[in-house]
Amino acid sequence: MSVRRLAPQELQPESFAFTAENLDWAHKTIAKYPAGRQASAVIPLLMRAQEQAGGWVSEPAMRYVGDMLGMAPIRVYEIATFYTQFQLLPVGRKAHIQVCGTTPCMLKGAENLIKVCKRRIHDEPFHLSASGDLSWEEVECAGACVNAPMIQVWKDVYEDLTPEDLEKIIDAFEKGEQPQVGPQNGRRSSEPVTGLRALTEPSLFDGSMVGTGAGLAAARATIEAARAGEAQPAPAQPAAAAAPPAPPRWNPAPAKPPAAEAVKAQGSADSTGQAKPGSDKPDAVKPN
Ligand code: FES
């Protein structure tokens, strides 16, 4: 994680003000919050200021937003320096590439993505490429760990990346094109990389079951079938039978030692087969 400080004085502009259009938007945004809670609009206003200024938020912009919301400048500095969505230095005109370097992404090859950034953009993070079009930095988890390794550029994420994918993405940005966002390996969203193994009925997703209750019933039946398949030992196959290959099982459970099965069958109080209470962690938020 890099140290996040405001840009040096020589890079700061004299002043900042929203355009008429952005000012109108800002007033409407502030009005969405209850009386006395206008400071809650600080993040959307800072983001709009960043977009207006070409990808980074200057100290005058932070003070301007603070004045609009009745906040002391230090309160705005705290927010802008905490969230890596806010850039504190001028960044590449076409793309500022944020490479996630947290454990899941690092284990899946983030270091090789960083090597590409060093070679294609600049050896050091937060430096502009020779053309001024690109810059990069390493950031902490962006909440897309299932699709590691990944990068974020502005509000978009590019996931399941190989170094070759990143080269193509950089090529596209250099040409002024918009690369395809999301997973780069063909999977949709964060589905299993091996393909769907449950809830595969297309009518579950095409809207045809809306309001009929059939979708829920079908989903329950699929889940129950999967659970039943896990709970029961596989039947012995007749030696001579030419059985068709079994379909891949969803979330196959690891084999349990016979002793544990015996204890569980007897209803022992020591059984470890109890479902754990739900996690109290909030759902991860995936950047849009
Ligand atoms: S560790 Fe990279 S997105 Fe979470």
Side-chain angles (χ1 to χ4, degrees):
M1 183 69 180
S2 57
V3 177
R4 291 175 55 78
R5 296 200 173 101
L6 302 190
Q9 198 58 41
E10 60 267 25
L11 293 179
Q12 299 286 356
E14 285 294 316
S15 62
F16 175 88
F18 274 137
T19 61
E21 181 185 355
N22 282 341
L23 188 60
D24 181 54
W25 173 89
H27 285 141
K28 287 177 180 159
T29 300
I30 295 168
K32 292 177 183 173
Y33 296 90
R37 304 289 181 201
Q38 281 72 26
S40 298
V42 64
I43 286 180
L45 262 62
L46 279 174
M47 187 57 74
R48 184 58 69 107
Q50 175 165 282
E51 289 167 357
Q52 179 180 310
W56 72 292
V57 60
S58 63
E59 193 273 342
M62 294 178 207
R63 268 190 285 114
Y64 178 87
V65 167
D67 287 346
M68 285 191 80
L69 300 174
M71 297 173 71
I74 184 63
R75 296 291 172 229
V76 186
Y77 300 164
E78 287 168 348
I79 291 162
T81 56
F82 179 80
Y83 293 105
T84 53
Q85 285 89 342
F86 296 117
Q87 298 305 319
L88 308 176
L89 289 161
V91 294
R93 283 186 296 260
K94 293 181 177 173
H96 177 67
I97 296 175
Q98 296 182 301
V99 184
C100 173
T102 304
T103 310
C105 281
M106 199 52 89
L107 290 173
K108 293 281 283 179
E111 265 179 317
N112 292 328
L113 303 184
I114 290 173
K115 283 180 189 166
V116 172
C117 290
K118 288 185 172 183
R119 180 168 47 77
R120 294 287 304 266
I121 301 173
H122 196 283
D123 202 41
E124 296 289 334
F126 298 110
H127 284 69
L128 299 180
S129 61
S131 64
D133 286 343
L134 301 169
S135 54
W136 74 277
E137 68 173 304
E138 180 182 335
V139 295
E140 298 300 324
C141 178
C145 325
V146 163
N147 297 75
M150 59 80 67
I151 62 168
Q152 180 165 355
V153 181
W154 313 135
K155 293 177 180 174
D156 293 320
V157 291
Y158 303 83
E159 305 155 301
D160 295 315
L161 289 172
T162 64
E164 293 74 30
D165 294 329
L166 181 54
E167 299 266 9
K168 289 179 191 160
I169 288 169
I170 290 175
D171 288 343
F173 278 121
E174 281 183 330
K175 291 182 205 159
E177 298 170 355
Q178 171 61 58
Q180 174 74 33
V181 302
Q184 304 293 306
N185 63 350
R187 71 164 149 169
R188 186 176 59 180
S189 185
S190 52
E191 288 176 355
V193 288
T194 49
L196 286 179
R197 298 180 186 181
L199 304 178
T200 53
E201 174 59 46
S203 58
L204 288 171
F205 307 100
D206 63 10
S208 61
M209 293 187 180
V210 172
T212 67
L216 187 57
R220 282 187 178 137
T222 304
I223 292 168
E224 290 305 321
R227 283 181 179 154
E230 288 174 4
Q232 296 168 9
Q237 297 292 325
R249 291 177 60 204
W250 172 69
N251 191 23
K256 293 174 182 169
E261 284 298 313
V263 171
K264 188 175 178 183
Q266 293 164 12
S268 166
D270 291 336
S271 171
T272 56
Q274 296 295 319
K276 292 181 180 177
S279 169
D280 58 357
K281 291 182 180 177
D283 291 342
V285 176
K286 188 175 180 179
N288 293 323

